[in-house]
């Protein structure tokens, strides 16, 4: 019988790399592209499509011309440089008309005003997006809408100041009455007082102060707005206003008070059942008929109000989904702590519901910003249809097609992609579980 002598290795084997087929890009391709017959066939078809698109698009992009005064001159440069059968993009149109895509027909000597307003907007939203910044910056965030309006539209500085006084009156009435009448009644009376101030006092008071201290900027009409300036004004304003309105509508839809619940449900279902373009036509054509004669209600303001209401209805349903996802124990915990309804919502319920609803809220915001291009149907010069139509109507750029749409599409993509990435970063930051 053969005897086996046991042997124990006294040194470790050197670490070696796995075989070439089990590491790197080869392993990734085997697992993701060629893991089975169907996956392999789809991968090969996709590769053929990508190669076909690249063979047509890459030369067109590489042959692009940036210095020319017309489409005809672009084509002559492409023919002289790459041959008679070559094609190329005429980016000279972007170089010559970029200011119209950004500012519309805003006076060129006043470009500093929307530029300053955009820079200040970044400063104003910074403390909202990043909690690590000093909370004292929120005071500037609250004042920014009035500063922005004055910079963009101009006129006397006392008009936004007197409007701001109306909000101060609301806060004063609310603070004086909240301890005795509660939050809803105090807020309602505060709104009545502020509305009376804006309707009866604002115009004569601002005119009287301006007659004594004439401080202001040159006025700019709304029909001179256009391009991404118009899209950002409508989109950012509607986003900022629709979120708190959506929260109130979501709470109203879940309220135990029948009147509040009925009004909230009716508003949400009506707005969600009507296309946005219908509301825009209402803002442009019909709303003026219900106002007193000779009333000048700015078209951009009308559009902002209707777009805000439209977005608030969708945000309300997104937040209602977040509220429904919370377990009943969270509400019972708030009751056990002795919190009233508004304290429970502010400290316990709503922070968790908003965290759950972040993807849906940001998706609604992205869709809202892209929907600002629909204002072209009510006569406003959006960057995608309005300004592009103006550019293509110029005899020098007659016949150009892809370049203006690609330029506008890239800008929209960068803005929407930035919102999406911020949403993902915020989700990771607020994530508390370890799964």
């Amino acid at each position: 019988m053969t005897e086996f002598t046991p042997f124990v290795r006294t040194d470790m084997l050197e670490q070696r790399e796995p075989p070439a087929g089990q590491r790197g890009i080869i392993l990734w391709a085997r697992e993701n592209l060629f893991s089975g017959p169907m996956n392999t066939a789809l991968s090969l078809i996709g590769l053929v499509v990508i190669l076909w698109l690249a063979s047509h698009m890459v030369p067109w992009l590489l042959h692009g011309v940036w210095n020319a005064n017309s489409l005809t001159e672009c084509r002559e440069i492409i023919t002289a440089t790459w041959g008679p059968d070559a094609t190329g993009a005429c980016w000279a149109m972007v170089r010559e008309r970029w200011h119209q895509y950004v500012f519309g027909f805003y006076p060129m000597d006043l470009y500093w005003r929307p530029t300053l307003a955009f820079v200040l907007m970044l400063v104003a939203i910074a403390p909202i997006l990043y909690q690590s910044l000093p909370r004292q910056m929120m005071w500037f965030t609250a004042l920014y809408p009035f500063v922005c309006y004055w910079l963009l539209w101009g006129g006397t500085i006392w008009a936004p100041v007197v409007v701001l006084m109306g909000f101060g009156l609301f806060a004063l009435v609310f603070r004086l009455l909240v301890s005795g009448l509660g939050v809803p009644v105090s807020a309602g009376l505060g709104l009545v007082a502020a509305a009376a101030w804006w309707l009866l006092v604002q115009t004569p008071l601002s005119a009287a102060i301006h007659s004594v201290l004439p401080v202001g900027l040159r006025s700019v009409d709304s029909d001179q707005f256009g391009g991404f300036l118009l899209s950002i004004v409508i989109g950012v304003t509607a986003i900022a206003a629709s979120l708190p309105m959506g929260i109130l509508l979501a709470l109203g839809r879940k309220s135990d008070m029948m009147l509040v619940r009925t009004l909230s449900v009716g508003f949400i279902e009506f707005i969600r059942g009507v296309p946005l373009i219908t509301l825009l036509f209402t803002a442009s054509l019909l709303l003026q008929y219900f106002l007193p004669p000779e009333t000048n209600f700015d078209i951009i303001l009308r559009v902002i109000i209707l777009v805000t209401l439209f977005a608030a209805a969708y945000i309300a349903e997104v937040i209602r989904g977040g509220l429904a996802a919370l377990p009943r124990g969270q509400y019972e915990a708030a009751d056990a702590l002795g919190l009233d309804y508004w304290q429970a919502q502010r400290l316990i319920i709503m922070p968790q519901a908003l965290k759950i609803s972040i993807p849906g809220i940001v998706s609604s915001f992205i869709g809202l910003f892209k929907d600002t291009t629909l204002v072209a149907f009510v006569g406003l010069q959006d960057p995608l249809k309005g300004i592009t139509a103006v550019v293509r109507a110029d005899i020098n750029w007659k016949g150009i097609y892809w370049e203006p749409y690609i330029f506008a599409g890239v800008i929209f993509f960068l803005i929407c992609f930035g919102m999406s990435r911020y949403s993902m970063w915020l989700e990771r930051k607020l994530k508390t579980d370890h799964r």
Side-chain angles (χ1 to χ4, degrees):
M1 184 174 182
T2 306
E3 295 183 359
F4 294 95
T5 303
F7 173 76
V8 178
R9 184 177 293 277
T10 58
D11 55 341
M12 297 293 294
L13 291 175
E14 294 183 0
Q15 185 176 0
R16 293 183 297 177
E17 292 185 354
Q22 298 297 323
R23 69 175 189 270
I25 191 172
I26 298 179
L27 176 62
W28 179 88
R30 289 177 57 187
E31 292 180 348
N32 296 278
L33 301 178
F34 308 104
S35 58
M38 179 62 70
N39 201 2
T40 301
L42 293 176
S43 299
L44 293 176
I45 294 173
L47 181 61
V48 171
V49 172
I50 292 173
L51 292 176
W52 181 82
L53 291 175
S55 65
H56 289 76
M57 292 182 61
V58 172
W60 185 76
L61 294 173
L62 294 179
H63 298 168
V65 176
W66 286 91
N67 294 310
N69 296 317
S70 66
L71 180 61
T72 302
E73 187 176 344
C74 277
R75 290 172 176 172
E76 291 175 353
I77 294 174
I78 293 171
T79 300
T81 307
W82 288 284
D85 297 329
T87 59
C90 188
W91 302 118
M93 179 278 306
V94 176
R95 182 184 61 82
E96 183 174 325
R97 296 298 188 97
W98 67 270
H99 56 90
Q100 284 188 331
Y101 276 94
V102 176
F103 299 104
F105 299 98
Y106 207 87
M108 296 187 68
D109 59 325
L110 301 180
Y111 280 175
W112 66 271
R113 283 163 51 176
T115 303
L116 178 60
F118 179 76
V119 174
L120 293 179
M121 181 191 73
L122 299 180
V123 177
I125 65 175
I128 299 176
L129 300 181
Y130 302 101
Q131 299 296 318
S132 58
L133 295 177
R135 293 295 90 193
Q136 291 79 3
M137 292 180 64
M138 293 296 293
W139 286 105
F140 178 75
T141 303
L143 295 175
Y144 172 75
F146 307 95
V147 177
C148 179
Y149 175 84
W150 182 59
L151 285 174
L152 293 180
W153 274 272
T156 176
I157 193 175
W158 304 114
V161 170
V162 176
V163 172
L164 183 60
M165 291 180 183
F167 286 97
L169 179 62
F170 166 80
L172 178 62
V173 172
F174 179 83
R175 193 177 187 89
L176 292 176
L177 301 179
V178 66
S179 59
L181 301 179
V183 173
V185 177
S186 302
L189 294 176
L191 287 176
V192 171
W197 174 274
W198 293 326
L199 292 175
L200 303 176
V201 180
Q202 174 196 338
T203 301
L205 180 59
S206 59
I209 299 176
H210 183 71
S211 63
V212 178
L213 296 174
V215 180
L217 296 172
R218 193 174 98 193
S219 298
V220 178
D221 295 332
S222 292
D223 57 2
Q224 295 179 282
F225 283 63
F228 284 99
L229 171 62
L230 179 64
S231 293
I232 291 176
V233 167
I234 296 176
V236 172
T237 306
I239 287 172
S242 63
L243 182 58
M245 287 184 61
I247 294 174
L248 293 177
L249 287 170
L251 294 177
R253 184 157 190 166
K254 294 178 65 67
S255 175
D256 295 331
M257 294 183 286
M258 186 184 68
L259 179 61
V260 174
R261 184 174 64 252
T262 302
L263 292 176
S264 300
V265 171
F267 175 84
I268 292 172
E269 297 302 329
F270 172 76
I271 294 295
R272 293 175 70 229
V274 177
L276 177 58
I277 189 64
T278 304
L279 297 178
L280 292 178
F281 278 120
T282 302
S284 175
L285 302 175
L286 300 179
L287 190 60
Q288 196 73 15
Y289 290 107
F290 297 95
L291 298 175
E294 300 181 359
T295 300
N296 184 17
F297 197 0
D298 189 88
I299 178 62
I300 294 181
L301 180 58
R302 282 182 273 163
V303 168
I304 288 175
I305 292 174
L306 269 298
V307 172
T308 300
L309 296 178
F310 181 84
Y314 283 87
I315 294 295
E317 288 299 282
V318 173
I319 295 176
R320 187 171 70 90
L323 292 171
L326 289 181
R328 183 63 190 170
Q330 298 297 317
Y331 296 89
E332 296 173 350
D335 294 337
L337 292 174
L339 302 178
D340 61 24
Y341 177 80
W342 295 105
Q343 289 175 332
Q345 294 293 336
R346 182 172 61 89
L347 299 175
I348 296 179
I349 306 302
M350 196 52 63
Q352 299 182 73
L354 291 177
K355 185 181 76 169
I356 296 172
S357 306
I358 286 175
I361 292 174
V362 176
S363 296
S364 299
F365 287 166
I366 292 174
L368 170 62
F369 183 73
K370 292 187 292 185
D371 284 343
T372 57
T373 57
L374 294 177
V375 299
F377 292 101
V378 294
L380 297 178
Q381 302 295 331
D382 77 299
L384 192 62
K385 181 177 175 60
I387 299 299
T388 297
V390 172
V391 171
R392 296 181 65 200
D394 188 347
I395 190 63
N396 292 324
W397 307 107
K398 196 78 172 178
I400 198 167
Y401 188 79
W402 291 106
E403 292 85 341
Y405 291 110
I406 291 176
F407 174 68
V410 168
I411 302 300
F412 271 107
F413 170 78
L414 292 177
I415 296 174
C416 296
F417 182 73
M419 287 192 283
S420 175
R421 298 303 299 180
Y422 172 78
S423 168
M424 298 174 64
W425 174 82
L426 188 61
E427 287 184 66
R428 291 193 299 269
K429 184 176 183 297
L430 297 178
K431 187 176 182 179
T432 56
D433 60 304
H434 300 285
R435 291 179 296 175

